[in-house]
Amino acid sequence: MNVYVASSWRCSRQPQVVQVLRGAGHEVYDFKNPKAGEHGFGWSQIDSNWQRWTAAEQVRAYDHPSAVRGLKFDFDAMKACEALVMVQPCGRSAALELGWAIGAGKKTIVLMDEGQEPELMLRLADHLCLTIEEVIRALGYKVR
């Protein structure tokens, strides 16, 4: 199954989830490495001081060629996927990706994590999982 993994650059579990899902036979999009030899988009590619941008600077940054390219990679992969797996802890972009996937009728799965604030809208996902094994079962494959 073609799977999009939505998470955060700061999520230490994301690389392991990508690896395990690939090991289970899935085609998995990794936003950190969207194509062979390509490193994923990060705001620091535009400006090392990105965390202090004003709202106007943020709006301008969305049109920067690196941001446009990064969005294209990610959104093309979202449109092509059959399932989206949100890996907590994650941020606002992953929440937007999950919401889009729910609205697009994709299979949606959330891999929960301890210590996360409850979010009522997560209940819209098809599956709320506590382990990677549950995620694999929700995708319709047996755990190896």
Side-chain angles (χ1 to χ4, degrees), residues 14-87:
Q14 185 269 352
Q16 178 189 14
V17 170
V18 168
Q19 181 181 19
V20 169
L21 293 179
R22 285 179 176 161
H26 299 286
E27 181 181 334
V28 181
Y29 179 75
D30 177 5
F31 68 89
K32 292 182 179 182
N33 300 288
K35 293 190 176 192
E38 296 257 0
H39 189 64
F41 172 75
W43 292 112
S44 60
Q45 294 172 11
I46 296 173
D47 179 2
S48 62
N49 199 35
W50 64 272
Q51 292 173 311
R52 296 180 186 201
W53 284 343
T54 65
E57 289 170 319
Q58 288 180 41
V59 169
R60 282 193 299 276
Y62 295 132
D63 290 328
H64 187 280
S66 293
V68 170
R69 187 168 188 257
L71 177 63
K72 179 172 176 27
F73 278 162
D74 291 354
F75 196 47
D76 284 352
M78 288 169 58
K79 291 184 282 188
C81 79
E82 299 166 90
L84 183 138
V85 176
M86 172 196 264
V87 180

